[in-house]
Amino acid sequence: MVVLFIFVLGFLSLFADVQAQSPSALPIKKLSAGMHIIHAEIAATPESRTTGLMYRKSLAPNHGMLFVFEQANVQCFWMRNTFVPLSIAFLLEDGTITNIADMAPQSDQSHCSSKPVRFALEMEQGWFAKRGITADKKILGLQ
């Protein structure tokens, strides 16, 4: 009986550790950039946009976060409490990329869209460059 109790206690402890390290339970949307598929968590509330990818230790391949805003404005991002180096693409309503910026971990340096945008897509740093995705290209599947 004691062995069973220790086993259950250990399992619950392991489960709690996994839950603490798991990404948030945000909805995931499949996007595409040319032939490349992106699995993007959707940050569409003020709370989810504020937290973003903070405290994550890594991103799965081809995974990122899509920030959705109610209306187009110049949007600025920083990397406070974010441990993964990221690239951010700022997107117009139709998915056209206005500009892309590389962002260093744990930095308060602002990275802003060059135009008013409704969306911003964060991916692992260099993801866009490695695939030849630049300003004026489109990300599909936003709507």
Side-chain angles (χ1 to χ4, degrees), residues 49-128:
R49 289 191 301 257
T50 299
T51 303
L53 291 170
M54 286 182 176
Y55 309 109
R56 306 277 180 99
K57 301 289 186 194
S58 63
L59 284 175
N62 300 313
H63 280 69
M65 183 168 282
L66 180 68
F67 295 81
V68 180
F69 299 94
E70 289 79 19
Q71 58 189 24
N73 282 307
V74 171
Q75 303 295 342
C76 296
F77 286 70
W78 61 0
M79 294 283 285
R80 182 177 292 169
N81 300 318
T82 306
F83 306 124
V84 178
L86 298 172
S87 293
I88 186 165
F90 295 99
L91 313 169
L92 299 174
E93 183 86 30
D94 70 354
T96 301
I97 299 171
T98 62
N99 60 300
I100 298 172
D102 288 338
M103 303 187 296
Q106 302 191 60
S107 169
D108 286 347
Q109 179 183 357
S110 285
H111 302 276
C112 301
S113 60
S114 60
K115 298 177 182 177
V117 297
R118 278 253 355 262
F119 306 98
L121 177 61
E122 288 182 340
M123 300 293 288
E124 181 178 21
Q125 193 169 92
W127 190 92
F128 299 102

